[in-house]
């Protein structure tokens, strides 16, 4: 498998973005490069990473997120691999809007498996596409910060970065972050 690799600077340290076929296959902080490579090798076997500037325009969207455009990552194409259950968890996690969080138990309940919070945590911990699949928005049952592959300080920073989201989102998205239903016709 041949993938394009770009290094993107962020306030939390450089990130590595691996892309191919117009989708992000892995996104990880550069200090966790062995995790990125191991994830790709487990999914594809031999992987060739070729340096590329802004592959498929995906790095530009990541930079926009860091500049405060919290919607820039929404709808970004990803190819995370994973088991069917992991893919269901990651799809549900992608539905958590900026500025909001869900507990592992809430994600499990939304999947129709309310007793699977531990399995949700394990799947979340294996997410190879951080930020775009926003695993940092999943917290403990009482809102405590638990488990984040990039470190709890980064998770705390990301949640604070996104806390201002309602001021930067339109009405429907603002209502969604507060758990309200948007008014008819405002989507």
């Amino acid at each position: 498998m041949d993938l394009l690799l770009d290094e993107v600077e962020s306030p939390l340290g450089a990130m590595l973005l691996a892309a191919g076929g117009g989708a992000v296959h892995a996104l990880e902080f550069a200090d966790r490069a062995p995790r990125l490579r191991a994830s790709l090798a487990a999914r594809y076997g031999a992987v060739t990473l070729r340096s590329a500037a802004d592959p498929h325009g995906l790095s530009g969207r990541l930079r926009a997120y860091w500049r405060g455009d919290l919607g820039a990552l929404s709808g970004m194409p990803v190819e995370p691999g994973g088991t069917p259950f992991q893919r269901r968890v990651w799809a549900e996690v992608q539905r958590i809007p900026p500025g909001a969080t869900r507990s592992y138990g809430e994600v499990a309940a939304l999947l129709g498996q309310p007793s699977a919070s531990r399995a949700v945590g394990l799947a979340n911990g294996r997410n190879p596409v951080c930020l775009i699949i926003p695993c940092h928005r999943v917290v403990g049952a009482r809102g405590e910060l638990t488990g984040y592959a990039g470190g709890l300080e980064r998770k705390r920073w990301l949640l604070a970065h996104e806390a201002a989201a309602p001021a930067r989102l339109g009405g429907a998205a603002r209502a969604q972050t507060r758990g309200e239903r948007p008014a008819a016709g405002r989507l």
Side-chain angles (χ1 to χ4, degrees):
M1 163 77 65
D2 289 339
L3 294 173
L4 303 174
L5 183 71
D6 194 11
E7 186 170 312
V8 178
E9 290 301 320
S10 87
L12 299 175
M15 298 194 79
L16 300 175
L17 181 144
V24 178
H25 291 250
L27 178 62
E28 188 61 76
F29 289 97
D31 62 356
R32 303 198 35 88
R35 175 183 158 101
L36 177 135
R37 286 182 175 78
S39 169
L40 292 172
R43 286 164 39 207
Y44 303 120
V47 176
T48 301
L49 297 170
R50 287 186 300 115
S51 183
D54 197 15
H56 314 292
L58 298 167
S59 299
R61 289 178 69 177
L62 183 58
R63 287 181 184 95
Y65 168 84
W66 291 118
R67 287 191 307 268
D69 179 358
L70 302 181
L73 304 181
S74 179
M76 274 181 79
V78 295
E79 182 44 62
T83 67
F85 179 76
Q86 288 171 330
R87 292 177 76 85
R88 286 181 55 224
V89 169
W90 297 334
E92 191 59 46
V93 168
Q94 282 186 286
R95 291 184 187 95
I96 304 170
T101 59
R102 302 282 183 276
S103 72
Y104 296 98
E106 287 173 318
V107 173
L110 289 166
L111 294 172
Q113 296 182 261
S115 63
S117 60
R118 186 162 287 172
V120 166
L122 290 171
N124 212 39
R126 294 194 180 198
N127 170 17
V129 186
C130 72
L131 296 180
I132 302 166
I133 299 174
C135 54
H136 63 279
R137 295 180 191 151
V138 183
V139 297
R142 292 176 297 282
E144 68 274 12
L145 298 187
T146 61
Y148 185 63
L152 290 182
E153 284 305 313
R154 283 180 173 147
K155 183 172 188 166
R156 185 175 288 109
W157 191 97
L158 289 165
L159 292 173
H161 175 63
E162 294 177 352
R168 289 182 264 182
L169 296 173
R174 198 170 35 249
Q176 189 178 15
T177 64
R178 293 190 309 254
E180 302 169 3
R181 296 238 183 251
R186 289 179 49 196
L187 287 177

